[in-house]
Amino acid sequence: MRYALPVAATLLLALPAAAQPDGGLRPLSRSGDLKAALDAGDERALAYVAGALDALILRGSQGDPLLFWTRQCFSATFLPVEDVIPHVVAWIDANPDAPSMADLASNAVLMGFAAYCAEETAFEVRTPQ
Amino acid sequence: MRYALTIALALALPAPALAQDAGHLSHLSTGAELVAALNAGDAEAMGFVRGTVASVYHRGAQGDEAFHWAQRCVVETLMPIDQVVPYITAWVNAHPNPSPVGRFASIAVMHGMADYCTRVIDIPIPALPE
């Protein structure tokens, strides 16, 4: 079971976009899919980033020690989503060959979020692996 | 510092729509705003839910024990968002006066996910963090 889940996740990540019924980003979408949607001006992609950020701030607020900085950064900046997007895109561009789990769109949001906060605040930013 | 952050968060969460782009969901949105957008058939609302689910799944995959169930559920079901939405709506309707942190739209998504997962697969879910 322990090994079955990562294998299943890897297989799912390899699914083509055509396997998605409505073309929208999914929880297992890859970072390249997110970048393409952002580049195309798809507002669902912007909302996807906002939703991903919301969950990360929530976990920081709930006491996740690895994400405490998310709450600090949010309180200090109110986190304009459009200001985070360039950092998300920059991370994707800088990591074209990320392994499967790191290539998840949600990981790109996390890393872009961290880069934004490191640049805009003095808080110590830690990113889980 | 601890209290300053809590106060800032409590002030930020009920921030009116003027703090957001006109009518767009953001991480400042509440569960009620999310459900209103979902009921209106707003495609962005579905995008928001997908992003939230992605982060919850991702934290589970990274080892966050509070969300290990989410990783398993997404992998086993692919989490069809249209099937999760009714559970999100039900949770928001059942909690009309949430706490400041409970106003987070992602809280509603998290609880909706958990209710969906317990319904469709045999998976124990521990008490969700508040």
Side-chain angles (χ1 to χ4, degrees):
Chain A
M1 187 64 179
R2 183 175 178 183
Y3 298 104
L5 286 175
V7 169
T10 302
L11 290 173
L12 290 169
L13 286 170
L15 284 174
Q20 302 176 17
D22 61 1
L25 293 163
R26 299 189 60 141
L28 295 172
S29 289
R30 288 167 292 174
S31 57
D33 300 326
L34 175 60
K35 183 173 186 290
L38 288 169
D39 287 345
D42 186 340
E43 292 196 340
R44 293 175 303 179
L46 208 61
Y48 183 97
V49 173
L53 292 174
D54 195 48
L56 294 170
I57 298 165
L58 170 66
R59 284 301 290 144
S61 299
Q62 288 174 330
D64 185 337
L66 287 173
L67 294 178
F68 187 70
W69 58 271
T70 66
R71 180 177 160 179
Q72 291 177 313
C73 182
F74 167 65
S75 297
T77 68
F78 274 14
L79 203 61
V81 177
E82 65 273 16
D83 291 356
V84 179
I85 297 293
H87 294 278
V88 173
V89 172
W91 189 87
I92 295 170
D93 288 342
N95 294 273
D97 300 314
S100 62
M101 283 303 293
D103 191 38
L104 285 172
S106 53
N107 191 54
V109 176
L110 171 62
M111 301 308 282
F113 185 7
Y116 167 83
C117 294
E119 188 171 294
E120 295 292 325
T121 73
F123 301 127
E124 180 188 359
V125 172
R126 300 165 61 199
T127 50
Q129 299 299 318
Chain B
M1 182 66 175
R2 182 176 179 181
Y3 296 106
L5 286 173
T6 302
I7 291 168
L9 190 64
L11 287 173
L13 287 173
L18 59 87
Q20 308 166 21
D21 290 339
H24 290 247
L25 289 168
S26 83
H27 51 288
L28 292 173
S29 297
T30 65
E33 289 168 336
L34 174 61
V35 167
L38 289 167
N39 287 341
D42 185 340
E44 281 186 58
M46 296 293 267
F48 186 96
V49 173
R50 289 173 194 274
T52 307
V53 170
S55 274
V56 171
Y57 159 81
H58 188 212
R59 285 299 295 133
Q62 286 175 327
D64 185 339
E65 293 185 0
F67 288 149
H68 181 69
W69 60 269
Q71 180 201 13
R72 187 180 146 198
C73 185
V74 167
V75 168
E76 290 193 21
T77 70
L78 286 181
M79 192 76 69
I81 300 301
D82 56 331
Q83 292 179 32
V84 179
V85 165
Y87 294 96
I88 297 171
T89 301
W91 190 86
V92 170
N93 289 340
H95 297 81
N97 297 301
S99 65
V101 171
R103 291 173 186 268
F104 267 115
S106 55
I107 284 265
V109 176
M110 183 177 73
H111 281 275
M113 284 174 68
D115 291 344
Y116 165 81
C117 293
T118 53
R119 184 65 63 92
V120 299
I121 62 174
D122 180 20
I123 186 170
I125 296 182
L128 297 178
E130 295 296 339

